[in-house]
Amino acid sequence: MKTTVGVPLDIVGYLKGMKIKPSLIRVKVLDYLIHKRNHPTADMIFKALAGEIPTLSKTSVYNTLKSFVLAGVAQEIKIENTEVRYDVFTNVHGHFKCTVCGSVEDLKLDAYNITSDDLEGKKITEHHVYVLGFCSNCNKKKNKKNI
Amino acid sequence: MKTTVGVPLDIVGYLKGMKIKPSLIRVKVLDYLIHKRNHPTADMIFKALAGEIPTLSKTSVYNTLKSFVLAGVAQEIKIENTEVRYDVFTNVHGHFKCTVCGSVEDLKLDAYNITSDDLEGKKITEHHVYVLGFCSNCNKKKNKKNI
DNA sequence: GTTATAAATTGTAATGATTACAAAAATGAA
DNA sequence: TTCATTTTTGTAATCATTACAATTTATAAC
């Protein structure tokens, strides 16, 4: 029997459970998000799927992602103002973006809290944390140069 | 004798100290940021200053803001992908944006920490926290409607 | 003060991600 | 099959931001 670690094996069933009709495009996009785990832009998804779905339009990718966000299947990650990235793991976690190579990673937040008197009277619906810097790879390269 | 609470009274002197030549536009933009405290977009600043500086161009506002960010005088706040907002207070704090009225406020972080095994090997240069929800005003209005 | 040089400012055009919208295709129920 | 609904597509619009070249202003040397 197969096992899994927090990733829905049955993407069609998962989408149905989220009240999203599992069209080919939607299944492919969700499959991409889940298995690539690379926090892609809409354009990255489009380019990756255009091969297997020759008639795919970019608008469809945008539509699909919008419906995912609306249904809580995916979330938008806004770090740069020039691009929105997408993530399927919607539990509370942060994101790290490398300012050199542009890669985005999840950040499991072992300890994380925001407390502030300024929140008095407000109703919080979302909170986001993102960190910028050099990823392990780019940091290594940088250090070599400085020897 | 005058007193102040963390806001530079002498904007010209402050800019000089930050190695930025205090041209009229730069002084006006910084003055606006400091005294309005409204986390404006470039366009909001442009509209506000176009009256007193009739020849002002939007490009100049963008140039000015870019030089401020570069010098560490201001920071960019990226919550929506459709706009960049600016803040002059560069100590560590978060931001709150009301999803109803769009206002942005500072969030003094009484307790705030990010710890994560995922940060191993990385070099962090910036970290950002933003919270979305209903501001006090919009929250009150919402509650009244639901009585 | 004039002149030369650099810096600041401006206006216009380009960029590029996202959205609007209407037509075409696919789906599903009667 | 037929009709209505949903999905998908392609093109055009939007809009913040940037690129860039021209103009203006400031600065310093003479």
Side-chain angles (χ1 to χ4, degrees), chain B residues 56-100:
Chain B
L56 184 65
S57 73
K58 203 173 279 189
T59 302
S60 292
V61 176
Y62 277 109
N63 287 343
T64 299
L65 290 169
K66 182 170 285 184
S67 75
F68 284 1
V69 171
L70 213 64
V73 169
Q75 66 174 307
E76 299 179 329
I77 309 173
K78 295 164 191 167
I79 299 180
E80 307 297 334
N81 59 313
T82 52
E83 61 180 25
V84 177
R85 286 166 170 268
Y86 293 87
D87 191 358
V88 268
F89 301 99
T90 56
N91 59 324
V92 175
H93 66 275
H95 292 100
F96 170 86
K97 174 160 186 171
C98 178
T99 52
V100 180

Short mmCIF file of all heavy atoms in Angstrom, two decimals, chain B residues 56-100:
data_model
loop_
_atom_site.label_atom_id
_atom_site.label_comp_id
_atom_site.label_asym_id
_atom_site.label_seq_id
_atom_site.Cartn_x
_atom_site.Cartn_y
_atom_site.Cartn_z
N LEU B 56 6.30 69.03 -11.78
CA LEU B 56 6.69 67.70 -11.29
C LEU B 56 6.28 66.59 -12.25
O LEU B 56 5.17 66.60 -12.79
CB LEU B 56 6.03 67.44 -9.92
CG LEU B 56 6.41 66.13 -9.21
CD1 LEU B 56 7.89 66.15 -8.84
CD2 LEU B 56 5.55 65.91 -7.98
N SER B 57 7.18 65.65 -12.46
CA SER B 57 6.85 64.48 -13.28
C SER B 57 6.81 63.24 -12.40
O SER B 57 7.48 63.16 -11.37
CB SER B 57 7.89 64.29 -14.38
OG SER B 57 9.10 63.80 -13.83
N LYS B 58 6.03 62.28 -12.84
CA LYS B 58 5.92 61.06 -12.05
C LYS B 58 7.26 60.32 -12.02
O LYS B 58 7.62 59.71 -11.02
CB LYS B 58 4.81 60.16 -12.63
CG LYS B 58 4.25 59.20 -11.61
CD LYS B 58 3.05 58.44 -12.13
CE LYS B 58 1.78 59.25 -12.04
NZ LYS B 58 0.58 58.41 -12.35
N THR B 59 7.98 60.41 -13.12
CA THR B 59 9.32 59.78 -13.16
C THR B 59 10.19 60.30 -12.03
O THR B 59 10.94 59.54 -11.41
CB THR B 59 9.99 60.03 -14.52
OG1 THR B 59 9.15 59.52 -15.55
CG2 THR B 59 11.33 59.35 -14.59
N SER B 60 10.11 61.59 -11.74
CA SER B 60 10.93 62.15 -10.67
C SER B 60 10.55 61.56 -9.32
O SER B 60 11.41 61.33 -8.48
CB SER B 60 10.77 63.67 -10.63
OG SER B 60 11.34 64.24 -11.78
N VAL B 61 9.27 61.34 -9.13
CA VAL B 61 8.84 60.72 -7.87
C VAL B 61 9.42 59.31 -7.77
O VAL B 61 9.97 58.93 -6.73
CB VAL B 61 7.31 60.68 -7.77
CG1 VAL B 61 6.88 59.94 -6.51
CG2 VAL B 61 6.75 62.09 -7.77
N TYR B 62 9.34 58.57 -8.86
CA TYR B 62 9.92 57.23 -8.86
C TYR B 62 11.43 57.28 -8.62
O TYR B 62 11.97 56.49 -7.84
CB TYR B 62 9.61 56.51 -10.18
CG TYR B 62 8.25 55.87 -10.22
CD1 TYR B 62 7.23 56.39 -11.01
CD2 TYR B 62 7.97 54.74 -9.47
CE1 TYR B 62 5.97 55.80 -11.04
CE2 TYR B 62 6.72 54.14 -9.49
CZ TYR B 62 5.72 54.68 -10.30
OH TYR B 62 4.49 54.10 -10.33
N ASN B 63 12.10 58.18 -9.31
CA ASN B 63 13.55 58.32 -9.12
C ASN B 63 13.88 58.62 -7.66
O ASN B 63 14.79 58.04 -7.08
CB ASN B 63 14.09 59.44 -10.00
CG ASN B 63 14.13 59.06 -11.47
OD1 ASN B 63 14.06 57.88 -11.80
ND2 ASN B 63 14.22 60.05 -12.34
N THR B 64 13.15 59.56 -7.10
CA THR B 64 13.39 59.96 -5.72
C THR B 64 13.20 58.78 -4.77
O THR B 64 14.04 58.51 -3.91
CB THR B 64 12.43 61.10 -5.34
OG1 THR B 64 12.68 62.21 -6.20
CG2 THR B 64 12.62 61.51 -3.90
N LEU B 65 12.09 58.07 -4.95
CA LEU B 65 11.82 56.94 -4.07
C LEU B 65 12.89 55.87 -4.21
O LEU B 65 13.33 55.27 -3.23
CB LEU B 65 10.43 56.37 -4.37
CG LEU B 65 9.28 57.29 -3.96
CD1 LEU B 65 7.96 56.78 -4.53
CD2 LEU B 65 9.19 57.41 -2.44
N LYS B 66 13.33 55.65 -5.44
CA LYS B 66 14.37 54.64 -5.65
C LYS B 66 15.66 55.02 -4.93
O LYS B 66 16.30 54.19 -4.28
CB LYS B 66 14.63 54.46 -7.15
CG LYS B 66 15.66 53.40 -7.46
CD LYS B 66 15.71 53.08 -8.95
CE LYS B 66 14.53 52.24 -9.38
NZ LYS B 66 14.59 51.83 -10.80
N SER B 67 15.99 56.31 -4.98
CA SER B 67 17.22 56.74 -4.30
C SER B 67 17.05 56.63 -2.78
O SER B 67 18.00 56.30 -2.07
CB SER B 67 17.58 58.17 -4.70
OG SER B 67 16.72 59.10 -4.09
N PHE B 68 15.85 56.87 -2.29
CA PHE B 68 15.59 56.73 -0.85
C PHE B 68 15.77 55.28 -0.41
O PHE B 68 16.36 54.99 0.63
CB PHE B 68 14.17 57.19 -0.50
CG PHE B 68 14.00 58.68 -0.47
CD1 PHE B 68 15.06 59.54 -0.76
CD2 PHE B 68 12.78 59.25 -0.14
CE1 PHE B 68 14.90 60.92 -0.74
CE2 PHE B 68 12.61 60.62 -0.11
CZ PHE B 68 13.66 61.46 -0.41
N VAL B 69 15.24 54.37 -1.21
CA VAL B 69 15.33 52.95 -0.86
C VAL B 69 16.79 52.52 -0.87
O VAL B 69 17.27 51.82 0.04
CB VAL B 69 14.51 52.09 -1.82
CG1 VAL B 69 14.78 50.61 -1.60
CG2 VAL B 69 13.01 52.39 -1.65
N LEU B 70 17.50 52.97 -1.90
CA LEU B 70 18.91 52.61 -2.03
C LEU B 70 19.72 53.11 -0.85
O LEU B 70 20.63 52.43 -0.37
CB LEU B 70 19.44 53.22 -3.34
CG LEU B 70 20.52 52.44 -4.06
CD1 LEU B 70 19.97 51.10 -4.52
CD2 LEU B 70 21.05 53.23 -5.25
N ALA B 71 19.39 54.30 -0.36
CA ALA B 71 20.16 54.91 0.72
C ALA B 71 19.67 54.44 2.09
O ALA B 71 20.25 54.79 3.11
CB ALA B 71 20.06 56.43 0.62
N GLY B 72 18.58 53.66 2.11
CA GLY B 72 18.06 53.21 3.40
C GLY B 72 17.20 54.23 4.09
O GLY B 72 16.90 54.12 5.28
N VAL B 73 16.78 55.27 3.37
CA VAL B 73 15.91 56.29 3.95
C VAL B 73 14.47 55.80 4.01
O VAL B 73 13.71 56.11 4.91
CB VAL B 73 15.99 57.60 3.14
CG1 VAL B 73 14.92 58.58 3.55
CG2 VAL B 73 17.39 58.20 3.26
N ALA B 74 14.07 55.01 3.01
CA ALA B 74 12.71 54.48 2.97
C ALA B 74 12.76 53.00 2.60
O ALA B 74 13.79 52.50 2.15
CB ALA B 74 11.86 55.24 1.95
N GLN B 75 11.66 52.32 2.83
CA GLN B 75 11.59 50.93 2.39
C GLN B 75 10.33 50.70 1.59
O GLN B 75 9.33 51.42 1.74
CB GLN B 75 11.65 49.97 3.57
CG GLN B 75 10.45 50.04 4.48
CD GLN B 75 10.49 48.96 5.56
OE1 GLN B 75 10.63 47.79 5.26
NE2 GLN B 75 10.35 49.37 6.81
N GLU B 76 10.39 49.73 0.72
CA GLU B 76 9.23 49.37 -0.09
C GLU B 76 8.37 48.38 0.68
O GLU B 76 8.88 47.49 1.34
CB GLU B 76 9.68 48.71 -1.40
CG GLU B 76 10.53 49.63 -2.26
CD GLU B 76 10.97 48.94 -3.55
OE1 GLU B 76 11.15 47.71 -3.53
OE2 GLU B 76 11.14 49.64 -4.56
N ILE B 77 7.06 48.55 0.57
CA ILE B 77 6.12 47.60 1.17
C ILE B 77 5.36 46.95 0.04
O ILE B 77 4.66 47.62 -0.71
CB ILE B 77 5.13 48.32 2.10
CG1 ILE B 77 5.86 49.21 3.09
CG2 ILE B 77 4.28 47.30 2.83
CD1 ILE B 77 4.91 50.06 3.93
N LYS B 78 5.50 45.65 -0.08
CA LYS B 78 4.85 44.93 -1.17
C LYS B 78 3.81 43.98 -0.60
O LYS B 78 4.14 42.91 -0.11
CB LYS B 78 5.88 44.15 -1.98
CG LYS B 78 6.86 45.06 -2.71
CD LYS B 78 8.07 44.28 -3.17
CE LYS B 78 9.17 45.22 -3.65
NZ LYS B 78 10.45 44.51 -3.81
N ILE B 79 2.58 44.40 -0.63
CA ILE B 79 1.48 43.56 -0.14
C ILE B 79 0.63 43.14 -1.31
O ILE B 79 0.35 41.97 -1.51
CB ILE B 79 0.64 44.31 0.92
CG1 ILE B 79 1.51 44.68 2.13
CG2 ILE B 79 -0.53 43.44 1.36
CD1 ILE B 79 0.79 45.43 3.22
N GLU B 80 0.22 44.10 -2.10
CA GLU B 80 -0.50 43.79 -3.34
C GLU B 80 0.51 43.77 -4.48
O GLU B 80 1.51 44.46 -4.43
CB GLU B 80 -1.55 44.87 -3.63
CG GLU B 80 -2.49 45.15 -2.49
CD GLU B 80 -3.33 43.96 -2.12
OE1 GLU B 80 -3.56 43.11 -3.00
OE2 GLU B 80 -3.75 43.86 -0.96
N ASN B 81 0.19 43.00 -5.51
CA ASN B 81 1.10 42.99 -6.65
C ASN B 81 0.83 44.15 -7.60
O ASN B 81 1.54 44.36 -8.56
CB ASN B 81 0.98 41.67 -7.42
CG ASN B 81 -0.42 41.43 -7.93
OD1 ASN B 81 -1.38 41.59 -7.20
ND2 ASN B 81 -0.56 41.07 -9.19
N THR B 82 -0.21 44.90 -7.31
CA THR B 82 -0.56 46.00 -8.21
C THR B 82 0.06 47.32 -7.78
O THR B 82 -0.06 48.31 -8.50
CB THR B 82 -2.08 46.19 -8.25
OG1 THR B 82 -2.57 46.30 -6.91
CG2 THR B 82 -2.74 45.02 -8.92
N GLU B 83 0.69 47.36 -6.63
CA GLU B 83 1.23 48.63 -6.16
C GLU B 83 2.35 48.41 -5.17
O GLU B 83 2.35 47.44 -4.42
CB GLU B 83 0.11 49.44 -5.48
CG GLU B 83 -0.47 48.71 -4.27
CD GLU B 83 -1.57 49.47 -3.57
OE1 GLU B 83 -2.22 50.30 -4.20
OE2 GLU B 83 -1.77 49.21 -2.36
N VAL B 84 3.30 49.33 -5.18
CA VAL B 84 4.33 49.36 -4.16
C VAL B 84 4.04 50.55 -3.27
O VAL B 84 3.73 51.63 -3.77
CB VAL B 84 5.73 49.49 -4.77
CG1 VAL B 84 6.78 49.60 -3.68
CG2 VAL B 84 6.04 48.31 -5.68
N ARG B 85 4.12 50.36 -1.99
CA ARG B 85 3.95 51.46 -1.05
C ARG B 85 5.27 51.76 -0.36
O ARG B 85 6.18 50.93 -0.37
CB ARG B 85 2.86 51.12 -0.02
CG ARG B 85 1.47 51.21 -0.63
CD ARG B 85 0.43 50.57 0.20
NE ARG B 85 -0.90 50.88 -0.31
CZ ARG B 85 -1.64 51.92 0.07
NH1 ARG B 85 -1.16 52.75 0.99
NH2 ARG B 85 -2.82 52.12 -0.45
N TYR B 86 5.38 52.95 0.22
CA TYR B 86 6.65 53.36 0.79
C TYR B 86 6.50 53.78 2.24
O TYR B 86 5.48 54.35 2.64
CB TYR B 86 7.24 54.51 -0.04
CG TYR B 86 7.64 54.03 -1.41
CD1 TYR B 86 6.72 54.01 -2.45
CD2 TYR B 86 8.92 53.54 -1.65
CE1 TYR B 86 7.07 53.53 -3.71
CE2 TYR B 86 9.29 53.07 -2.90
CZ TYR B 86 8.35 53.06 -3.92
OH TYR B 86 8.70 52.58 -5.15
N ASP B 87 7.55 53.50 3.00
CA ASP B 87 7.53 53.78 4.42
C ASP B 87 8.90 54.33 4.81
O ASP B 87 9.91 53.80 4.38
CB ASP B 87 7.24 52.48 5.18
CG ASP B 87 6.95 52.74 6.64
OD1 ASP B 87 7.02 53.90 7.07
OD2 ASP B 87 6.65 51.77 7.35
N VAL B 88 8.92 55.39 5.60
CA VAL B 88 10.21 55.95 5.99
C VAL B 88 10.78 55.35 7.26
O VAL B 88 11.93 55.58 7.57
CB VAL B 88 10.15 57.47 6.22
CG1 VAL B 88 10.50 58.18 4.95
CG2 VAL B 88 8.85 57.90 6.80
N PHE B 89 9.95 54.65 8.01
CA PHE B 89 10.46 54.15 9.29
C PHE B 89 11.02 52.76 9.07
O PHE B 89 10.29 51.79 8.88
CB PHE B 89 9.37 54.20 10.34
CG PHE B 89 8.88 55.60 10.53
CD1 PHE B 89 7.71 56.03 9.91
CD2 PHE B 89 9.63 56.50 11.25
CE1 PHE B 89 7.30 57.35 10.04
CE2 PHE B 89 9.21 57.82 11.39
CZ PHE B 89 8.05 58.25 10.78
N THR B 90 12.34 52.67 9.06
CA THR B 90 12.98 51.45 8.60
C THR B 90 13.41 50.54 9.76
O THR B 90 14.08 49.56 9.54
CB THR B 90 14.20 51.78 7.73
OG1 THR B 90 15.06 52.62 8.48
CG2 THR B 90 13.77 52.48 6.47
N ASN B 91 13.01 50.89 10.98
CA ASN B 91 13.25 49.92 12.05
C ASN B 91 12.36 48.70 11.79
O ASN B 91 11.43 48.75 10.99
CB ASN B 91 12.95 50.54 13.41
CG ASN B 91 11.53 51.03 13.50
OD1 ASN B 91 11.00 51.53 12.50
ND2 ASN B 91 10.92 50.92 14.65
N VAL B 92 12.62 47.61 12.47
CA VAL B 92 11.86 46.39 12.20
C VAL B 92 10.42 46.52 12.69
O VAL B 92 10.17 46.70 13.87
CB VAL B 92 12.52 45.17 12.86
CG1 VAL B 92 11.64 43.93 12.67
CG2 VAL B 92 13.89 44.93 12.27
N HIS B 93 9.51 46.47 11.76
CA HIS B 93 8.09 46.47 12.13
C HIS B 93 7.32 45.85 10.98
O HIS B 93 7.83 45.71 9.88
CB HIS B 93 7.61 47.88 12.44
CG HIS B 93 7.62 48.80 11.26
ND1 HIS B 93 8.75 49.49 10.87
CD2 HIS B 93 6.66 49.13 10.39
CE1 HIS B 93 8.46 50.21 9.81
NE2 HIS B 93 7.20 50.01 9.48
N GLY B 94 6.10 45.50 11.26
CA GLY B 94 5.28 44.90 10.22
C GLY B 94 4.27 45.88 9.67
O GLY B 94 4.29 47.06 10.03
N HIS B 95 3.44 45.41 8.79
CA HIS B 95 2.41 46.26 8.21
C HIS B 95 1.07 45.55 8.18
O HIS B 95 0.98 44.34 8.00
CB HIS B 95 2.82 46.69 6.80
CG HIS B 95 3.98 47.61 6.80
ND1 HIS B 95 5.26 47.18 6.55
CD2 HIS B 95 4.08 48.93 7.10
CE1 HIS B 95 6.09 48.20 6.67
NE2 HIS B 95 5.41 49.28 7.00
N PHE B 96 0.05 46.36 8.37
CA PHE B 96 -1.31 45.85 8.31
C PHE B 96 -2.02 46.55 7.16
O PHE B 96 -1.91 47.77 7.02
CB PHE B 96 -2.05 46.15 9.62
CG PHE B 96 -3.52 45.88 9.54
CD1 PHE B 96 -4.02 44.61 9.78
CD2 PHE B 96 -4.41 46.88 9.19
CE1 PHE B 96 -5.38 44.35 9.68
CE2 PHE B 96 -5.77 46.64 9.09
CZ PHE B 96 -6.26 45.36 9.33
N LYS B 97 -2.71 45.79 6.32
CA LYS B 97 -3.52 46.41 5.28
C LYS B 97 -4.96 45.98 5.42
O LYS B 97 -5.27 44.79 5.52
CB LYS B 97 -3.00 46.04 3.89
CG LYS B 97 -3.93 46.57 2.80
CD LYS B 97 -3.29 46.68 1.43
CE LYS B 97 -4.24 47.36 0.47
NZ LYS B 97 -3.64 47.69 -0.82
N CYS B 98 -5.86 46.95 5.42
CA CYS B 98 -7.29 46.68 5.50
C CYS B 98 -7.78 46.25 4.11
O CYS B 98 -7.60 46.98 3.13
CB CYS B 98 -8.05 47.90 5.98
SG CYS B 98 -9.85 47.63 6.02
N THR B 99 -8.41 45.10 4.06
CA THR B 99 -8.87 44.59 2.76
C THR B 99 -10.14 45.29 2.31
O THR B 99 -10.56 45.12 1.17
CB THR B 99 -9.13 43.07 2.84
OG1 THR B 99 -9.98 42.80 3.95
CG2 THR B 99 -7.84 42.31 3.01
N VAL B 100 -10.75 46.07 3.20
CA VAL B 100 -11.96 46.80 2.82
C VAL B 100 -11.60 48.19 2.29
O VAL B 100 -11.88 48.51 1.14
CB VAL B 100 -12.93 46.93 4.02
CG1 VAL B 100 -14.18 47.70 3.60
CG2 VAL B 100 -13.29 45.56 4.56
#
